Structures are given as C-alpha cells and as structure tokens.
Amino acid sequence: MNALTKPENLSTREIQDLDSAHFLHPFTDYKDLATRGARVITKADGIYVWDSEGSKMLDAMSGLWCVNVGYGRKELADAAYQQMMTLPFYNSFFQTTNVPAVKLAARLSALAPKVGDRSFDHVFYSSSGSESNDSNVRMVRRYWDLLGQPQRKVIISRQNAYHGSTMAGASLGGMSGMHAQGDLPIPNITHIEQPYFFENGLPGETSDEFGIRAARWLEEKILAVGPDKVAAFIAEPIQGAGGVIIPPATYWPEIQRIVDKYGILLISDEVICAFGRLGHWFAYEKFGYKPDLVTFAKAVTSGYIPLGGVMVGNRVAQVLIDKGGEFNHGYTYSGHPVACAVALANIDIMEQELLLDKVRGEVGAYFAKRYAELNEHPLVGLAETSGLVAGMVLVKNKATKERFSSEDAVGMLCRAHCFNNGLIMRAVGDRMIIAPPLTMTLSDIDELMRLIRQALDFTLRDLKQMGRV
Ligand SMILES: *Cc1c(COP(=O)(O)O)cnc(C)c1O
C-alpha cells in the first residue's frame, strides 16, 4: 500500500517523500530540499504554528507578511463559507458585478486617505501582489497612451526591491538572482540604488543627508533616461523582502519633490506595509507622500485566501474613465466574491479590535522599545523597527561595522537556531527580519524578544566555536 492510499495519517517522512516527489516549491533548491525534507506545517492558532513533529513555533513572520489578525479566526472562515454557499464565483468581465466586490471597493476607497490633491476612489482587483504590479505596468502605459504621450514607457525601480515574481513583477523588483535566471528585466524597466544607510552611508554623513542623496539618484536617472520618456517610479514604503530597509526620514519628501517636478506617476507598493503593518490602512499616509497607484495584497485578507489589487488614484482613474475605450487587461478572479467577502470580514476584525490604534499606540511603542534593546547584543550592528516590522543586521565587529562574508552564512545559522527553538524569523543575507501578527500582546512581545535573544546567543556561541568572530 503506498502513502496515498494509506488509511491512517501519513508520517512526517511519508509526507516529505511525497512532497519532494511531486511538489516544486517556490524559490527552492530542489536537490537540497529533497535531501533534507520539508518541515510540514500542520496547524496554527493565534500567533503560533505547529509542525508534524509537534513543535510549536511563534510565527514572527505572520506566514509571509500576511496573517495580520492571527491564525484561527472563525469570522473569516464563516465569511468564506457563507459567500461560497451564496455565490462562490462569478466574473466581472461582461458588465456584471457582485456584492462583496462592490462593497469592498467602496470600503477600501473610504479607508484610503486623501492626501493633497490625490484621492483613491477606485480599485482594480487581482489575486496577488505580482499580478497587481503587472496591472500597474499595464495601467501606467495605458494612461500615458491616452494622454498622447506613448513614448513615456520607462518605469524606474530600485535595486533590492521586491515587487513579485511574474515577468513584470520580477523585472520591477531589483533582485539580481531573479533577473539572472529570467532574462530580465523586460524592456523599459531600470533601477537605482536602494536607500540603505547602514551599507551606503558615507563616513561622517548623517542619515538625513544620506536620504536626500539617495532620493536624488532618482533625479539623476530621470535625466539620464530623458524626462519625457519616464512613465513612473515604483517603490515599497519600507523594503520588506529586501531585508526591512527603513529609509531615512528625508527620503520620501525628496522623492515626492522629484516625481512632481517631472510629472511622473508614483506607485507605492504596499503589499507588506498596508493593512496595519505600520499602524495605518495605507503606508503613504505615515510617510506623507502622494502616490498615484497603491499596490496591495497579502494582509488585505490576512492571507486566509488570495486577493490583491491596486488603489487607483483620481489622476489615473479619471483619464481611464473620461477618455473611454476598453482597457484590455484583467483576470478571471478580478473581484472574486469569496476573497472580497473574507477581506471585508478581515477589515471588520481590524476595526473592532482597534489593531491599527494598537500598532500606533501602546503595542507599537512597546515593540520598538524592547526591540531597540537588542542593539546591546554583540552580534547586532543595528536593530530598527517601524510599526510592527523590524530588521537587524548581524555584524562581525560592532565598533567597525565589519560585516560577515557570505560564506559565513550568518543569517541562515541564526535562522536555524530560531526554528529549532520555537521561533520563526526570516534571514535575508546578514539581516534578520520579523513582521509579527498585529494581535501580539505585550507579554507575547516579551516572549518574542526572549526567543530572539536566545537565538542570537546560540549563533554567537557557534561563531566563536568556528573562530568566525
Ligand atoms: C510579496 C510581495 C509582492 C508579491 O506578492 P505575491 O502575492 O507573492 O505575488 C509584491 N510586492 C511586495 C512589496 C511584496 O512584499
């Protein structure tokens, strides 16, 4: 009898064997995974997940930046069930619509704050962040075509940005490994350096001075490309997958000045930063800039079901609407009724439990204070937070800021100690990052910090034994 027809539960080994025999995971070295066997996650509740061996882990990554209201929320399961029984699916291609998609669009429009002359009264739906950024590329080009400036095609992005994994998403992103394998970027996408002060700040330069200098790389690029050829600039408010790179306070205002000066569109990719991660429904509000398009996905449903989209600002929406003509783009699942119903229930939870107020208030402040204490640890070069997202760089020498070499694989070492001791924390090179559920209590934060400190201690012990520090 093989594992598939076995009546009782599969053993971990059997699941791992079936996994490597049939499931090609995203961003994975298949040969390597087959020798190790995947960790099998079997259930979750609150801020914890369990694996098939019974290990309980505090999920400080909220799945993958998604599960902002925590696991095990019956309200979301009920919303999906009710909607599936009423209308599980219908398309919105042929001048048809559905009630949850309409209600969610109106609700998101109300939640997206007006800023300056920008308002966000329209939503374009997809099922993921990647698709949403593909939609952005299509929409930006359509916009300039309709305005009689079809030569404006170039979209400027940043090195080490993450904007998804489709052809356009990966092209907009600035991950060299992704570009290398896909013959990317596609034409008319170009990149500037990221605003990473710890790495790129000059000796004696303040972070505010660096922020201005980094923003001006955009202006230099616009001038190099030709201002009449540039369509848009895309950026994450805080780079997430790139390692939680928090820009200096001067960065966004200077970016705004530059995009205004040249009249180019600004796309804010808030797939991580929206829906409470930084204490706001949308993160542009926190930084005070004025985007034209805002990408969302992940936490809009707390990851319970796939949904993504773009908040389309009035500047773009008005042109698409007033000029008429069909927009030849969309997805089977644009405005999926079940996904939209779950999103509405997710927003209800965030409002009822005042999760955004907590991130902006007591919970966020306590998280920032406790996380800052990690700066005392000998391995930590700089530990920083914003809202409920945090990153730290691990260094060989605190005084000189000397970094580890990539062969030291210090991030992977630390991550292994996290996993083996009940904590899920992600490694990006030599940076360790977290984005815990917004439902964290103060005592949950204490437990999280205890686990992080323990993992850092074990990592330091290993590095000493190996003679690496
Ligand atoms: C995760 C992410 C994406 C891609 O979203 P998918 O749902 O994986 O396609 C895009 N942009 C940002 C900023 C992200 O963090």
Side-chain angles (χ1 to χ4, degrees), residues 65 128-131 133 162-164 236 269 271-272 297-298:
W65 323 90
S128 72
S130 303
E131 288 176 357
N133 282 326
Y162 191 76
H163 296 299
E236 301 154 84
D269 184 347
V271 170
I272 288 173
K298 293 188 174 130

Side-chain angles (χ1 to χ4, degrees), residues 379 392-395 404-419 425-433 455-456 459 463 466 468:
L379 264 186
M392 63 168 69
V393 55
L394 304 181
V395 292
F404 287 98
S405 72
S406 51
E407 296 87 77
D408 290 328
V410 64
M412 297 313 270
L413 182 64
C414 184
R415 190 183 76 164
H417 282 303
C418 293
F419 260 122
M425 193 171 185
R426 184 168 166 191
V428 179
D430 58 6
R431 294 184 65 81
M432 300 305 298
I433 62 177
L456 290 171
T459 306
L463 290 165
M466 294 185 294
R468 300 280 168 87

